[in-house]
Amino acid sequence: NAGVTQTPKFRILKIGQSMTLQCAQDMNHNYMYWYRQDPGMGLKLIYYSVGAGITDKGEVPNGYNVSRSTTEDFPLRLELAAPSQTSVYFCASSYGQGVPKNIQYFGAGTRLSVL
Amino acid sequence: KQEVTQIPAALSVPEGENLVLNCSFTDSAIYNLQWFRQDPGKGLTSLLLIQSSQREQTSGRLNASLDKSSGRSTLYIAASQPGDSATYLCAVNIGDMRFGAGTRLTVKP
């Protein structure tokens, strides 16, 4: 029962480097989400996807890109890492948006530091 | 703009005590509200979901209420246990989820 799997768990980047945070779910969920959580703050939505080939911006999309080529995978790309992107990143998925389908299941997170 | 606030930011109680966590939101136009639990280094686990038409939901020792008109929700935990120690987050669904910063709960044996 894997659920939502995120890799890597930890990463340190230098300013200007690029990386991709991986997210995979095995629940056949249509909806997938990327959030970031800064210390002492709530989660903020970066991007979300309602199905393969469809993505949309959330509250804080600047500096990030996403793609959704399959139902299972939803990678998040940082092109030019900046210290402001130091955060914990969570991926989540849900079956749909109508209640109760929109209960979101979360991965364990990726802790990213940009130095 | 929807703002979600949770007070207090941290709470420490002795084992066995009943306690209430508070969540307030600025715009009553929500689809539903969820309470999550977050353990250190882990993801979020959904505890309770209250639809906008509902007043409360119960699961075991947990009871969540929703007063949409006043923009408030409470999470009541009965007979707290050390295993309840975690951060509790509330989130409102306005099409996408808006989260509060959480209340860090410590239950001392």
Side-chain angles (χ1 to χ4, degrees):
Chain A
N1 61 349
V4 179
T5 303
Q6 290 185 239
T7 55
K9 291 191 184 330
F10 304 96
R11 185 73 185 268
I12 298 175
L13 283 182
K14 294 183 179 178
I15 295 172
Q17 284 187 319
S18 302
M19 79 161 293
T20 299
L21 282 66
Q22 302 290 347
C23 176
Q25 53 91 10
D26 62 359
M27 297 173 281
N28 201 31
H29 284 170
N30 296 316
Y31 285 66
M32 295 187 75
Y33 314 83
W34 273 107
Y35 295 91
R36 61 178 285 172
Q37 184 179 32
D38 298 323
M41 307 284 285
L43 280 70
K44 293 189 184 251
L45 183 66
I46 305 171
Y47 271 96
Y48 67 100
S49 168
V50 303
I54 306 170
T55 63
D56 209 346
K57 296 177 181 179
E59 197 180 353
V60 289
N62 292 344
Y64 307 94
N65 279 301
V66 293
S67 60
R68 182 99 181 269
S69 56
T70 67
T71 300
E72 294 78 19
D73 300 298
F74 190 39
L76 176 71
R77 179 104 179 134
L78 283 70
E79 290 294 349
L80 291 169
S84 62
Q85 293 178 304
T86 295
S87 189
V88 181
Y89 291 84
F90 289 101
C91 178
S93 71
S94 67
Y95 183 69
Q97 276 204 325
V99 176
K101 297 177 181 178
N102 69 339
I103 293 177
Q104 294 187 17
Y105 297 84
F106 283 77
T110 295
R111 188 175 299 273
L112 176 68
S113 294
V114 182
L115 305 175
Chain B
K1 184 185 172 185
Q2 179 72 267
E3 301 282 350
V4 182
T5 304
Q6 291 186 248
I7 294 173
L11 181 64
S12 181
V13 300
E15 182 177 4
E17 197 163 288
N18 302 325
L19 59 101
V20 174
L21 306 180
N22 297 295
C23 173
S24 61
F25 47 96
T26 54
D27 189 341
S28 62
I30 65 171
Y31 294 109
N32 53 61
L33 182 145
Q34 269 186 273
W35 282 94
F36 293 87
R37 171 184 172 136
Q38 184 177 25
D39 293 288
K42 302 281 182 66
L44 280 66
T45 301
S46 180
L47 297 172
L48 289 164
L49 182 149
I50 311 177
Q51 300 180 33
S52 62
S53 59
Q54 295 178 318
R55 298 283 292 182
E56 65 177 327
Q57 281 285 340
T58 298
S59 176
R61 293 183 294 107
L62 305 179
N63 176 276
S65 69
L66 174 63
D67 184 343
K68 218 172 60 158
S69 61
S70 67
R72 294 178 189 275
S73 176
T74 62
L75 179 66
Y76 174 82
I77 302 177
S80 58
Q81 303 170 357
D84 294 330
S85 297
T87 296
Y88 291 81
L89 296 154
C90 73
V92 296
N93 185 349
I94 58 169
D96 58 82
M97 302 282 279
R98 299 297 168 98
F99 286 79
T103 293
R104 188 171 65 252
L105 173 66
T106 303
V107 181
K108 295 180 284 189

